[in-house]
């Protein structure tokens, strides 16, 4: 099967569902998600950008003005709306998958892809940007380790997990496509040809 046929098979098996990128900040959800969407010919949506549009302010300002609980509720509502859209590649914020209601909505309307990364890589990547509200207080490495400890057990519920590392994004995209093919074949009704 050629690449175009393999990509068409993935899109067909998605059957209108979204591919939802989950993982910690710095794992590459948006960068890899954009390339994945391009390869599949699907729209790419960054949930954080949609949250900022809906709120009329940056995520950093939402955290500062209203706190994390307020942000998480807005995030849940925006994600619920986005998940009702047509098939897309949707990059979520690092904490989105922690919400049980959001996980259930993703399971019902999409297929979740977790990008998992080791601590040194995440710390190196998040240090490049200073707009991460959860890293404002405390040592970024300690905060990231705490988030890994809290979130990785929940992220393990994702349909597909791929290790993010310092390789070209296309390598990670190819691994995701391979895992999606396997996961979607496992989901296929008996007698459904690959």
């Amino acid at each position: 099967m050629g690449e175009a046929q393999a990509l068409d098979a993935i899109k067909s098996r998605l059957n209108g569902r979204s591919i939802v990128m989950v993982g910690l900040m710095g794992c590459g959800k948006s960068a890899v998600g954009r390339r994945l969407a391009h390869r599949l010919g699907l729209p790419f949506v960054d949930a954080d950008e949609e949250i900022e549009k809906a709120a009329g302010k940056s995520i950093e300002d939402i955290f500062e003005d209203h706190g994390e609980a307020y942000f998480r509720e807005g995030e849940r509502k925006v994600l619920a709306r986005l998940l009702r859209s047509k098939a897309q590649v949707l990059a979520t914020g690092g904490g989105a998958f922690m919400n049980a209601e959001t996980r259930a909505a993703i399971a019902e309307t999409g297929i979740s892809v977790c990008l998992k990364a080791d601590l040194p890589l995440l710390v190196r990547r998040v240090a490049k940007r200073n707009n991460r509200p959860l890293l404002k207080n405390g040592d970024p490495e300690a905060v990231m380790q705490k988030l890994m400890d809290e979130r990785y057990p929940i992220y393990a519920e994702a349909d597909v997990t791929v290790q993010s590392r310092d390789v070209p994004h296309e390598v990670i995209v190819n691994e995701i496509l391979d895992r999606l093919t396997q996961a979607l074949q496992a989901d296929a009704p008996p007698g459904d040809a690959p």
Side-chain angles (χ1 to χ4, degrees), residues 55-73:
K57 58 175 82 173
S58 72
I59 289 173
E60 191 173 13
D61 287 343
I62 297 169
F63 264 76
E64 191 173 304
D65 296 346
H66 306 285
E68 185 175 359
Y70 178 91
F71 168 78
R72 295 294 174 205
E73 179 57 19

Side-chain angles (χ1 to χ4, degrees), residues 108-182:
E108 184 180 324
T109 61
I111 184 164
S112 50
V113 175
C114 175
L115 286 181
K116 195 171 179 183
D118 295 329
L119 183 62
L121 176 65
L122 291 172
V123 171
R124 196 166 57 250
R125 287 180 178 173
V126 299
K128 295 177 185 175
R129 294 174 59 195
N130 66 351
N131 64 339
R132 312 265 191 189
L134 294 179
L135 299 179
K136 292 288 185 194
N137 304 314
D139 169 45
E141 186 170 348
V143 171
M144 291 301 294
Q145 182 63 61
K146 182 177 185 290
L147 290 172
M148 288 172 82
D149 294 345
E150 292 170 354
R151 294 180 179 178
Y152 275 12
I154 303 298
Y155 291 166
E157 296 178 26
D159 297 306
V160 171
T161 299
V162 172
Q163 188 71 27
S164 181
R165 53 205 188 281
D166 273 334
V167 296
H169 288 127
E170 286 306 315
V171 172
I172 306 298
V173 169
N174 288 335
E175 290 177 11
I176 291 170
L177 290 169
D178 288 345
R179 302 264 171 74
L180 282 172
T181 297
Q182 294 166 9

